[in-house]
């Protein structure tokens, strides 16, 4: 087969250029992390070769001792990270070092502000990887050969990080990858053995593959190991420092901020396995991207098997990072096998419980607000997805309510139940598109008057949460936008139900008038005690979809038969007294339509015919001025 050996110049994908600029401009104060990223890649390459060799032993080419070497020359101002891992072919080098494979990359860069300070925080969630080399280098040369390819099929990739790179096919005797950094003038501190050892100790000690450096000293020769080189999770918890856990997290997660918390568990029951789980400090940029890969790293008997093993945890916990090392799986385990495997089922349910327990602990501390703001929406999905743990998840939820001091979701269902007033039977909530709409909803009037707390739900997923979570602590969840009101009668209410009946009787004629005027645009018209200052509001029948859910589904492109609403009127309101006294049919129709339309607007709804509404309003205003 003829191989294309010619040297060619190619441009970076535009997102790579953006990433490069961002990395160089925003990470200056933390530049030593480049070494962690390069060692992390070398370690991944070693893991991948170990895994590939399980099915094809010849890939080792007779050399199965995997080593990462960090070398430097203060004369040449170079730093080299070398590995004898899986290596790259020419095509792979072009692909992996010239494009960004992550889904959602375009959207991510679209969100950046251009402000280096702010963007450097965002970049943490994205991960900088290989390109971090350009924080300290003005040229990077990568020479690599994929394990299994012939010595003639090596590749040299080179770039100054300014828009393009070159690739050419070269001879490379040893498989694996060598990354040479030509250090910038102000980065010569990194061509120093002590400095490099210190960085490796800090960030890469946990790397399970041996890392070597040249022996220091006048006449010294040869290389020596500079890391512990045992998989972190196999060590005794007591002997692992917080900094080591944090460094390990950064390696496996590609995040460069610290995790919020972690757990490390060895299970020796029916199935033997070890897990280390981390709660990240910040939600990944692609948490709600359907195509994003997620999951933890799977090892079998300490051999790396796969990234993103998404069977280990339920989908709503996709933001968790970590590793599972299982003893009872075959080394040739595939994603298909993972789907129907007893050991995995058992690991999954125990791990889910373990992680929910971690969240419970977090919920007692100060970090929970931050946790909730980052991951609350994902956790809410758990109410729908994970029925077995629904009760436990429900305790972790936080909402904004009419009692919240700010827009921060700070009310738990336990708080709510603890504050319920005498005789209150239900946990009341209302769903709306925005918090402002919810707060100003006329439906809240009577609840305010009676000092009854209402949860204000504005997250689309809340519609599903409230439809799946029937009750909490024995108290049903009740939408205040649905059905008839059944509020606890306080001492101040003379006799609420009697008052209601009187209401209905006295205003029968008024209701009939409005019904006739509105015809089919409403399901029913009735008098209510729900309102104290507004003239009217709309409610849905008990079994009908809420207006908010209809809006969400329509926005997502679903065709829906629109279900009609019930118009509830506040017969005590002066406007209704006026209407009651009115006898001109045209005016009655205008007034009734106006009531319906303003109720719709107040809940953030859209009018079917806004122009007709405006005309009607103007006619009525003119009548006022004429009078
Ligand atoms: P990530 O490690 O998150 O995938 P990087 O930017 O660090 O992202 O690396 C990009 C890709 O380049 C890697 O996924 C890998 O395919 C390839 N790569 C980088 N360094 C090496 C290496 N030493 N050996 C083999 N492949 C490598
Ligand atoms: Mg990497």
């Amino acid at each position: 087969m003829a191989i294309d050996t010619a040297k060619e110049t190619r441009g970076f994908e535009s997102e790579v250029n953006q990433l490069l600029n961002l990395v160089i401009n925003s990470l200056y104060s933390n530049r030593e992390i480049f070494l962690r990223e390069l060692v992390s890649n070398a370690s991944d390459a070693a893991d991948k070769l170990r895994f590939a060799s399980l099915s094809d032993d010849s890939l080792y080419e007779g050399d199965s001792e995997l080593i990462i070497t960090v070398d430097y020359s203060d004369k040449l101002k170079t730093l080299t990270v070398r590995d004898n891992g899986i290596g790259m072919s020419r095509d792979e080098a072009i692909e992996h070092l010239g494009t960004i494979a992550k889904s959602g990359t375009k959207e991510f860069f679209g969100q950046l502000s251009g402000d280096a300070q702010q963007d450097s925080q965002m970049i943490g969630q994205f991960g900088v990887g290989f390109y971090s080399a350009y924080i300290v280098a003005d040229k990077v040369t990568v020479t690599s050969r994929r394990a299994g390819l012939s010595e003639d099929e090596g590749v040299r990739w080179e770039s100054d990080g300014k828009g393009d790179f070159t690739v050419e096919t070269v001879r490379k005797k040893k498989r694996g990858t060598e990354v040479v950094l030509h250090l910038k003038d102000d980065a010569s501190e990194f061509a120093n053995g002590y400095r490099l050892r210190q960085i490796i100790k800090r960030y890469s000690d946990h790397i399970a593959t041996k890392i070597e450096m040249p022996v220091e000293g006048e006449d010294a020769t040869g290389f020596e190991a500079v890391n512990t080189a045992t998989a972190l999770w196999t060590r005794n918890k007591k002997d692992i420092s917080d900094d080591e856990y944090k460094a390990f997290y950064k390696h496996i997660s590609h995040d460069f901020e610290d995790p919020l918390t972690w757990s490390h568990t060895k299970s020796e029951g029916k199935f033997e396995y070890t897990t280390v789980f981390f709660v990240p400090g910040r939600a990944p940029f692609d948490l709600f991207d359907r195509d994003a890969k997620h999951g933890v790293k799977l090892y079998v008997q300490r051999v790396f098997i796969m990234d993103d093993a998404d069977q280990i945890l339920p989908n709503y916990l996709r933001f968790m990072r970590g590793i599972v090392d299982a003893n009872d799986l075959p080394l040739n385990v595939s994603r298909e096998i993972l789907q129907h495997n007893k050991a995995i089922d058992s690991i999954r349910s125990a791990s889910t419980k373990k992680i929910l327990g971690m969240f419970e602990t977090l919920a007692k501390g100060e970090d929970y607000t931050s946790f909730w703001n980052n991951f609350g929406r994902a956790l809410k999905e758990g109410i729908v997805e994970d029925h077995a743990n629904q009760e436990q998840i429900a305790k972790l939820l936080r909402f904004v309510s009419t009692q919240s001091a700010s827009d921060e979701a700070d009310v738990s269902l336990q708080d709510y139940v603890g504050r319920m007033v005498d005789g209150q039977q239900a946990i009341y909530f209302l769903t709306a598109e925005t918090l402002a709409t919810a707060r100003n909803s006329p439906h809240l009037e009577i609840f305010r008057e009676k000092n009854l707390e209402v949860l204000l739900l504005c997250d689309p997923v809340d519609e599903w949460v409230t439809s799946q979570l029937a009750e909490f602590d024995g108290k049903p969840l009740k939408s205040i936008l649905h059905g008839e009101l059944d509020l606890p009668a306080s001492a101040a209410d003379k006799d609420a139900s009697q008052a209601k009946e009187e209401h209905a009787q006295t205003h029968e004629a008024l209701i009939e008038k409005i019904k006739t005027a509105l015809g089919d645009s409403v399901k029913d018209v009735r008098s209510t005690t729900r309102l104290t200052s507004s003239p009217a509001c709309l409610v849905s029948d008990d079994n009908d979809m809420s207006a908010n859910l209809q809006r969400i589904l329509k926005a997502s492109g679903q065709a829906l038969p629109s279900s009609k609403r019930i118009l509830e009127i506040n017969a005590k309101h002066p406007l209704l007294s006026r209407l009651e006294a009115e006898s001109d049919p045209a005016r009655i129709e205008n007034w009734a339509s106006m009531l319906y339309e303003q109720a719709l607007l107040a809940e953030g709804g859209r009018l079917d015919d806004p122009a007709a509404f405006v005309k009607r309003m103007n006619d009525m205003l003119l009548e006022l001025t004429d009078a």
Side-chain angles (χ1 to χ4, degrees), residues 19 56 64 103 153 164 199 203 206 244 260 264 314 316 323 389 400 432 495 513 520 528 551 558 570 584 591-592:
L19 180 59
D56 181 2
S64 63
S103 71
E153 294 176 276
D164 48 31
I199 302 174
Y203 295 111
H206 61 83
E244 284 178 290
L260 214 49
H264 179 178
Y316 71 97
I323 65 100
N389 293 304
V400 179
D495 186 345
K513 246 187 203 172
D520 310 333
T528 186
R551 178 187 59 76
Q558 299 197 38
N570 173 7
D584 176 54
W591 280 66

Side-chain angles (χ1 to χ4, degrees), residues 577-620:
S577 315
R578 275 285 305 274
L579 180 56
E580 204 157 24
E582 186 58 64
S583 56
D584 176 54
R587 267 203 210 122
I588 293 174
E589 199 177 322
N590 273 351
W591 280 66
S593 300
M594 217 46 189
L595 282 176
Y596 170 72
E597 287 162 336
Q598 62 165 275
L600 195 58
L601 287 173
E603 62 175 30
R606 294 188 57 165
L607 302 174
D608 283 339
D609 188 352
F613 166 77
V614 171
K615 183 174 181 308
R616 195 157 24 244
M617 187 176 67
N618 289 339
D619 288 348
M620 292 170 77

Side-chain angles (χ1 to χ4, degrees), residues 62-339:
D63 169 22
S64 63
E65 198 201 346
L66 298 182
I67 300 180
I68 299 167
T69 309
V70 176
D71 203 351
Y72 63 94
S73 157
D74 58 359
K75 228 190 271 148
L76 300 174
K77 292 223 177 71
T78 58
L79 171 66
T80 303
V81 179
R82 195 179 302 127
D83 67 70
N84 58 353
I86 192 83
M88 284 178 274
S89 67
R90 180 173 172 138
D91 286 347
E92 285 169 330
I94 293 171
E95 163 117 16
H96 297 323
L97 306 182
T99 62
I100 304 175
K102 288 174 204 159
S103 71
T105 300
K106 272 207 165 51
E107 291 78 0
F108 174 80
F109 283 101
Q111 282 173 28
L112 295 179
S113 65
D115 175 69
Q117 187 91 47
Q118 213 172 315
D119 291 346
S120 70
Q121 303 225 318
M122 300 270 294
I123 197 81
Q125 331 161 248
F126 189 81
V128 289
F130 171 76
Y131 301 107
S132 63
Y134 288 95
I135 309 173
V136 295
D138 46 26
K139 187 169 80 175
V140 178
T141 312
V142 179
T143 314
S144 189
R145 176 166 68 78
R146 172 99 191 172
L149 292 182
S150 81
E151 291 182 5
D152 296 332
E153 294 176 276
V155 58
R156 173 157 303 135
W157 178 102
E158 192 166 77
S159 174
D160 60 4
K162 298 203 171 85
D164 48 31
F165 60 89
T166 59
V167 272
E168 62 190 306
T169 298
V170 296
R171 210 178 147 72
K172 188 172 188 299
K173 204 156 176 314
K174 288 196 168 166
R175 66 144 199 275
T177 303
E178 178 181 273
V179 180
V180 180
L181 310 191
H182 306 269
L183 295 169
K184 292 180 184 172
D185 287 340
D186 65 359
S188 50
E189 63 176 291
F190 296 108
N192 173 304
Y194 295 104
R195 178 87 170 97
L196 292 171
R197 271 163 217 252
Q198 176 208 7
I199 302 174
I200 292 170
K201 212 52 203 167
R202 178 176 307 161
Y203 295 111
S204 309
D205 192 54
H206 61 83
I207 295 286
T209 300
K210 182 160 88 175
I211 306 173
E212 281 187 348
M213 282 196 59
V215 181
E216 293 292 326
E218 286 269 301
D219 316 303
T221 52
F223 288 81
E224 62 185 359
V226 295
N227 66 333
T228 314
T230 42
L232 174 124
W233 63 90
T234 60
R235 293 164 51 197
N236 203 321
K237 270 206 281 203
K238 290 198 301 286
D239 304 331
I240 308 174
S241 70
D242 285 0
D243 282 342
E244 284 178 290
Y245 278 114
K246 288 178 189 171
F248 180 63
Y249 165 73
K250 289 172 184 173
H251 166 60
I252 60 165
S253 68
H254 305 268
D255 186 352
F256 66 69
E257 288 174 35
D258 286 341
L260 214 49
T261 181
W262 57 86
S263 78
H264 179 178
T265 319
K266 258 193 187 73
S267 161
E268 269 144 9
K270 185 160 170 237
F271 299 106
E272 283 181 21
Y273 58 89
T274 302
T275 57
V276 185
F277 292 121
F278 293 92
V279 182
R282 198 188 281 266
F285 73 99
D286 54 4
L287 184 56
F288 294 98
D289 183 339
R290 268 170 212 273
D291 303 322
K293 288 195 188 134
H294 53 83
V296 297
K297 276 183 189 273
L298 177 65
Y299 291 76
V300 173
Q301 295 158 38
R302 274 157 301 292
V303 179
F304 168 78
I305 304 295
M306 64 177 84
D307 281 312
D308 314 312
D310 55 5
Q311 297 299 320
I312 310 282
L313 294 176
N315 191 43
Y316 71 97
L317 295 177
R318 61 188 175 277
F319 55 87
M320 292 295 292
R321 298 289 174 261
I323 65 100
V324 172
D325 186 354
N327 271 350
D328 307 289
L329 292 175
L331 279 165
N332 64 355
V333 65
S334 63
R335 287 187 194 270
E336 290 64 46
I337 292 177
L338 289 183
Q339 279 171 10

Side-chain angles (χ1 to χ4, degrees), residues 37 40-41 44 129 254:
E37 296 297 324
S40 175
N41 285 349
D44 288 346
H254 305 268

